[in-house]
Amino acid sequence: STKPSVIMPPAGTLDLRRKAQIAQAKPTDHSRDVVVRRAASFELDKTIFGTLDSTVARLATKDRLAIEVFWSDAAAASISAAFSALPAAPDHDQALLDFMNNECNFSMEHADGSFMDHLQFCYEYCAAHFKGHSPRVLLLHSIMGVGTNFFPMDVALIPKLQSLVTDGEFRHIEAFPSVLRLLFHGRLLQELESVGGQRLNEVFDGITFHRVLDNKQLSMAAPDFWVHLNYQLIHLLDFLPVA
């Protein structure tokens, strides 16, 4: 007999900072509504930033992340009400959750809560504000490589992942870790900006890069690349401070 599939919980939960961003469709400075206190029990090595090997980078990152946030009752009620008024994000595909939970490793912590909370924020923000484009790309954006060189998925699982998503979704998922690194490096944006507006639209036909997980060479046509940059922007929203 086959073992019945375990019904997994949603990918993650959203704190008030994340709910506010989704409800307001933008980041907000909540300095009037929060008290921020140093978190004594924070351990950098348990997070996605545990791979940082520079002492200065580790100290700076810990200083930014090792905090506890306390909200005013009025702000908490207002944010919760605004978020509850939004249409619910689509349910996750159970086979995809099973794959993430049983065959991949998303157990590390994020800057604010668990890594699954980060994925859920990206998914829900996309569902609410990037209509016509699959939010599953952002649920899976780090599965083939986190920005700090942690790899939740083994190369051998690529065919299984491909079978669970569409070709268009996979094109963005496999590109995400590579494009993120190109953006952090800085030269890509500088080159695009140097061409400028209308001319960029005329001469830029796409980008070629290597997939982080296995160094396979990939290409992305210009229309997909502009869509992809919006996925990257949504992702980066989750790294902004609460105040």
Side-chain angles (χ1 to χ4, degrees), residues 6-208:
V6 179
I7 302 301
M8 303 299 293
T13 56
L14 302 177
D15 62 11
L16 287 170
R17 178 184 63 83
R18 289 174 167 132
K19 286 182 177 180
Q21 282 204 33
I22 296 170
Q24 297 163 13
K26 63 179 183 179
T28 302
D29 179 1
H30 297 285
S31 55
R32 294 184 178 182
D33 298 316
V34 298
V35 173
V36 180
R37 190 177 70 181
R38 179 70 51 202
S41 60
F42 181 83
E43 294 183 50
L44 188 67
D45 286 331
K46 289 186 175 180
T47 75
I48 61 170
F49 302 98
T51 56
L52 293 174
D53 54 9
S54 157
T55 302
V56 173
R58 288 179 67 85
L59 287 172
T61 303
K62 185 173 181 179
D63 184 65
R64 181 168 57 90
L65 303 180
I67 60 171
E68 292 178 303
V69 180
F70 300 88
W71 292 81
S72 73
D73 291 343
S78 173
I79 291 168
S80 297
F83 181 78
S84 297
L86 295 174
D91 290 336
H92 296 301
D93 178 71
Q94 190 58 48
L96 198 52
L97 285 185
D98 288 344
F99 175 69
M100 294 172 69
N101 280 281
N102 302 329
E103 300 186 58
C104 303
N105 179 13
F106 286 101
S107 61
M108 80 293 270
E109 294 178 6
H110 191 257
D112 193 357
S114 81
F115 197 77
M116 298 300 279
D117 297 345
H118 167 63
L119 301 182
Q120 186 69 15
F121 164 78
C122 295
Y123 177 84
E124 293 205 28
Y125 194 102
C126 182
H129 304 300
F130 198 26
K131 304 291 188 184
H133 301 281
S134 172
R136 299 204 305 176
V137 169
L138 284 175
L139 180 69
L140 297 163
H141 71 266
S142 293
I143 199 167
M144 297 179 73
V146 178
T148 53
N149 292 333
F150 182 90
F151 297 93
M153 190 189 86
D154 190 82
V155 176
L157 290 172
I158 290 177
K160 177 70 176 289
L161 174 62
Q162 283 185 275
S163 73
L164 294 169
V165 298
T166 68
D167 290 345
E169 288 170 335
F170 184 74
R171 188 158 56 249
H172 288 289
I173 293 164
E174 67 174 346
F176 200 98
S178 305
V179 176
L180 180 65
R181 284 159 175 77
L182 290 172
L183 294 175
F184 283 167
H185 181 261
R187 186 177 297 173
L188 172 63
L189 287 180
Q190 291 170 4
E191 291 180 358
L192 293 174
E193 287 172 353
S194 69
V195 177
Q198 184 58 39
R199 174 140 180 82
L200 183 62
N201 190 48
E202 294 167 358
V203 302
F204 179 71
D205 59 1
I207 184 171
T208 298

